[in-house]
Amino acid sequence: MKFINFKEIENNPDFWLYFLSVSFPLAYDETEDIALADFIYENYICESDASEWVSEFVQYSEHIMQMNDGYAENPTSVMITANQEEYIIQYHPGDTLYFKKQKEIASTGAHYDIHKIAFEDFRKINQECGFISVLLLPIVRLDESEIPDADALIQAFLAKMPVREEHRIQITNMIIEGLKL
């Protein structure tokens, strides 16, 4: 694995648009009939330089897509240590994999497997680690009663990303929709 420090991506708008567009497979706005990925592509510039940056970040190549099913041999990875547990997020061209204690626990790719971290546990991780915890948000599970707290937290995260203020509520609602059980 190729580990990077979160600071390398924390203020990178290309990373955050990529993150929002691929990390929430169930994020959807039923009223507008649009998935979060499509919303990002329709409202934000995700071409040329941004696309090149993402391709380099996830190590995209036709060979990896065809021969390795979209999984890089040496994926770009970020580590989060919280509550004395180690989480690793691996970014591949065709998937994002999540590990806890070196065991795969989730993925957000085509065969997504999410809803792995209870919202209350996620809040504790966020309190301990801060903004980096947003990288684990895609695998959180929400109960109906937790939606108001999740709404406030997600909007605070989005305020640190290159998301226009007028889109924050809609994007938050889409993410919440995808995290609900």
Side-chain angles (χ1 to χ4, degrees):
M1 280 181 279
K2 178 180 101 177
F3 281 98
I4 63 167
N5 188 303
F6 179 65
K7 292 198 180 302
E8 292 181 48
I9 55 175
E10 183 176 14
N11 295 312
N12 183 328
D14 296 334
F15 173 77
W16 293 116
L17 294 176
Y18 158 76
F19 173 80
L20 290 170
S21 67
V22 302
S23 297
F24 299 95
L26 299 178
Y28 187 74
D29 182 331
E30 190 173 309
T31 306
E32 298 292 324
D33 190 29
I34 191 166
L36 179 55
D38 295 328
F39 182 86
I40 295 298
Y41 290 124
E42 287 180 15
N43 291 283
Y44 295 89
I45 299 171
C46 301
E47 300 170 356
S48 63
D49 291 344
S51 180
E52 288 176 32
W53 183 89
V54 168
S55 290
E56 186 176 319
F57 180 76
V58 298
Q59 302 171 45
Y60 176 85
S61 74
E62 286 299 322
H63 174 78
I64 288 173
M65 295 306 290
Q66 292 176 2
M67 303 303 288
N68 295 354
D69 244 3
Y71 293 94
E73 289 181 31
N74 190 26
T76 303
S77 305
V78 177
M79 183 186 308
I80 300 172
T81 303
N83 301 326
Q84 300 177 337
E85 295 183 312
E86 181 180 275
Y87 295 89
I88 295 173
I89 301 103
Q90 292 181 351
Y91 297 95
H92 295 268
D95 202 351
T96 301
L97 301 177
Y98 296 80
F99 295 82
K100 180 179 178 182
K101 298 180 183 176
Q102 299 182 358
K103 180 183 177 209
E104 184 178 330
I105 60 168
S107 75
T108 60
H111 304 287
Y112 61 87
D113 183 18
I114 56 175
H115 301 130
K116 300 298 182 173
I117 298 175
F119 181 68
E120 189 56 39
D121 293 336
F122 176 73
R123 283 177 30 156
K124 291 175 186 172
I125 293 169
N126 178 254
Q127 289 169 347
E128 182 180 338
C129 299
F131 185 49
I132 190 174
S133 67
V134 73
L135 299 179
L136 295 173
L137 182 62
I139 62 171
V140 167
R141 66 179 175 271
L142 279 178
D143 291 325
E144 216 45 56
S145 64
E146 298 168 319
I147 290 175
D149 291 335
D151 183 284
L153 186 56
I154 293 167
Q155 286 201 46
F157 287 146
L158 292 175
K160 295 179 180 185
M161 297 179 192
V163 173
R164 292 191 289 278
E165 189 171 353
E166 66 266 19
H167 292 155
R168 288 185 195 148
I169 291 172
Q170 185 175 7
I171 292 173
T172 297
N173 290 340
M174 284 191 256
I175 291 172
I176 286 171
E177 187 61 35
L179 300 180
K180 288 190 316 190
L181 287 176

